[in-house]
């Protein structure tokens, strides 16, 4: 019996010597315990040690102010790499020239370089009757009546020959396209070339001009009675019964309920937020720098009195 006890004690001693206990360590930080025994709450990072740049809040009407940054909704024309490079080029161009907010119906003056003019610079003033396309191909058309002759000039918004874009009257119209001004009376498209810019309060809503123009008698450039326009007042005066029946046959009242057509003709909202979150921060920073430079130029150092 004593020999068995000696053997067992020898085996236990040998076992403890061969197999040392393994210590396990955790990478998890243990909470600090106060003297009272309660767990301490983690301290908030101080502003001096950790500073973050606050991104500007994207306005809700951003897609109406900068519609050219949205790509073409047609899937066969989509190319993410090309769209990304175009947005970068557009942002670089906006750092060189100020492109203000304007809409169809606003009165704009554009100064551009012209090698055929006397001072190598030409300036045209008119009402914006069309704004279309996207990316670097964005263009708008200005119309004015000079010496009883209607003139229209199409400008590429990101054309490097444009030197200055001035918005003299910021407003909207009832329709998104004002091409019917070509068939309207000339007084609706006549603007003084020396027109002064109208002062507008900062942050005020863009007014909507609900004026309705009067068309001249036929012939017209397009069949305006088929386009459901709200900015024409006397279109029924020049329609015969046959033209009214034809216009009614071409109506498509079901299109406003066609969800698939609306989906194919627009960019998804989550994609819009992704694009404008990338674009608006840089545009906002450029505007702040431009305003700061304007304040510096407007400040004049006082001269010493004799």
């Amino acid at each position: 019996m004593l020999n068995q006890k000696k053997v067992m004690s020898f085996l236990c001693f040998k076992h403890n010597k061969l197999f040392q206990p393994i210590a396990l360590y955790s990478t998890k930080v243990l909470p600090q315990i106060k003297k009272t025994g309660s767990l301490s709450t983690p301290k908030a990072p101080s502003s001096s040690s950790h500073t973050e740049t606050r991104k500007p809040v994207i306005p809700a009407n951003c897609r109406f102010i900068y519609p050219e940054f949205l790509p073409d909704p047609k899937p066969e024309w989509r190319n993410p790499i090309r769209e990304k490079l175009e947005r970068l080029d557009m942002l670089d161009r906006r750092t060189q020239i100020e492109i203000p907010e304007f809409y169809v119906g606003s009165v704009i003056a554009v100064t551009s370089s012209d090698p055929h003019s006397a001072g190598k610079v030409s300036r045209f003033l008119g009402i914006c009757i069309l704004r279309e396309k996207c990316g670097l191909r964005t263009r708008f058309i200005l119309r004015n009546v000079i010496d009883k002759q209607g003139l229209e000039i199409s400008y590429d918004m990101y054309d490097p020959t444009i030197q200055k874009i001035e918005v003299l009257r910021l407003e909207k119209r009832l329709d998104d396209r004002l091409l019917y001004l070509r068939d309207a009376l000339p007084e609706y498209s006549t603007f003084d070339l020396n027109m002064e810019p109208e002062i507008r309060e900062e942050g005020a809503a863009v007014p909507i001009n609900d004026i309705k123009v009067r068309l001249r008698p036929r012939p017209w450039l397009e069949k305006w009675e088929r386009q459901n326009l709200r900015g024409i007042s006397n279109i029924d005066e020049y329609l015969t019964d046959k033209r009214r029946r034809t216009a009614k046959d071409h109506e498509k009242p079901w299109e406003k309920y066609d969800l698939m057509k609306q989906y194919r003709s627009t960019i998804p909202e989550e994609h819009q937020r992704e694009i404008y979150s990338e674009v608006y921060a840089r545009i906002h920073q450029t505007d702040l720098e431009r305003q700061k430079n304007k304040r510096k130029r407007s400040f004049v150092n006082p001269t010493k009195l004799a």
Side-chain angles (χ1 to χ4, degrees):
M1 189 69 180
L2 293 173
N3 293 334
Q4 289 182 355
K5 289 182 178 180
K6 289 181 179 179
V7 171
M8 292 295 295
S9 61
F10 174 76
L11 292 176
C12 291
F13 173 77
K14 186 177 181 180
H15 179 271
N16 292 335
K17 189 175 182 180
L18 293 177
F19 303 99
Q20 297 295 334
I22 301 174
L24 301 177
Y25 298 96
S26 174
T27 58
K28 189 175 182 180
V29 179
L30 296 177
Q32 298 178 357
I33 302 176
K34 293 183 178 180
K35 295 181 179 180
T36 57
S38 60
L39 298 179
S40 62
T41 57
K43 296 181 179 181
S46 59
S47 58
S48 60
S49 61
H50 184 69
T51 58
E52 293 183 354
T53 56
R54 300 183 62 184
K55 294 184 178 180
V57 180
I58 302 175
N61 59 345
C62 196
R63 64 189 182 97
F64 301 108
I65 303 176
Y66 313 106
E68 65 272 9
F69 284 99
L70 294 179
D72 196 289
K74 293 184 179 180
E76 61 269 18
W77 291 356
R78 296 295 303 274
N79 189 335
I81 298 177
R82 176 183 55 80
E83 294 166 4
K84 176 75 173 180
L85 295 176
E86 282 190 357
R87 286 197 292 269
L88 293 177
D89 288 343
M90 293 158 68
L91 291 173
D92 289 340
R93 178 58 180 162
R94 282 181 173 268
T95 59
Q96 305 296 326
I97 181 177
E98 181 180 2
I99 301 179
E101 172 189 1
F102 70 93
Y103 305 91
V104 173
S106 302
V107 181
I108 306 172
V110 177
T111 305
S112 60
S113 59
D114 186 4
H116 305 290
S117 61
K120 304 299 182 182
V121 173
S122 64
R123 183 177 184 268
F124 184 76
L125 183 147
I127 182 174
C128 180
I129 63 174
L130 181 66
R131 182 175 177 176
E132 62 177 0
K133 297 185 180 181
C134 60
L136 294 174
R137 300 173 302 280
T138 306
R139 73 181 187 118
F140 58 95
I141 299 178
L142 301 184
R143 176 179 174 82
N144 200 349
V145 176
I146 301 174
D147 294 336
K148 301 182 181 180
Q149 180 66 38
L151 299 178
E152 293 183 4
I153 297 182
S154 175
Y155 292 99
D156 291 334
M157 186 178 294
Y158 294 93
D159 187 355
T161 61
I162 294 179
Q163 299 181 2
K164 189 177 183 181
I165 300 178
E166 304 172 82
V167 178
L168 306 180
R169 181 187 298 167
L170 182 64
E171 64 181 11
K172 298 180 182 179
R173 291 294 184 96
L174 297 176
D175 300 306
D176 296 333
R177 297 160 61 95
L178 301 181
L179 298 179
Y180 52 78
L181 290 179
R182 298 169 177 173
D183 292 323
L185 298 177
E187 56 261 25
Y188 296 105
S189 303
T190 305
F191 299 92
D192 187 9
L193 295 178
N194 298 321
M195 177 180 176
E196 295 292 334
E198 297 182 357
I199 299 175
R200 176 174 167 267
E201 296 182 2
E202 186 176 358
V206 180
I208 299 177
N209 191 348
D210 56 354
I211 186 174
K212 294 188 176 183
V213 304
R214 295 184 59 85
L215 297 180
R216 293 175 294 186
R218 284 180 177 271
W220 296 333
L221 295 175
E222 295 184 26
K223 299 176 181 178
W224 307 116
E225 68 273 8
R226 299 184 184 180
Q227 300 184 18
N228 193 20
L229 300 171
R230 297 183 297 167
I232 302 176
S233 61
N234 65 332
I235 195 170
D236 292 333
E237 297 179 6
Y238 305 109
L239 295 182
T240 60
D241 294 338
K242 181 180 179 180
R243 292 186 183 276
R244 288 191 181 91
R245 289 195 301 269
T246 306
K248 190 173 182 180
D249 294 339
H250 284 79
E251 289 181 354
K252 298 178 181 179
W254 59 86
E255 284 190 349
K256 60 182 179 180
Y257 305 107
D258 192 347
L259 299 181
M260 287 305 300
K261 182 177 181 180
Q262 296 177 12
Y263 177 77
R264 294 191 189 100
S265 60
T266 56
I267 301 296
E269 195 169 327
E270 57 273 10
H271 194 190
Q272 292 185 22
R273 287 196 297 267
E274 180 183 350
I275 291 174
Y276 286 122
S277 62
E278 169 193 348
V279 168
Y280 184 73
R282 188 167 172 183
I283 294 178
H284 183 70
Q285 183 66 24
T286 304
D287 292 342
L288 291 179
E289 293 177 358
R290 189 173 286 115
Q291 292 175 6
K292 185 178 180 180
N293 293 334
K294 284 183 179 179
R295 287 195 294 267
K296 286 183 178 179
R297 288 194 297 266
S298 62
F299 178 76
V300 180
N301 292 326
T303 57
K304 293 183 179 180
L305 298 178

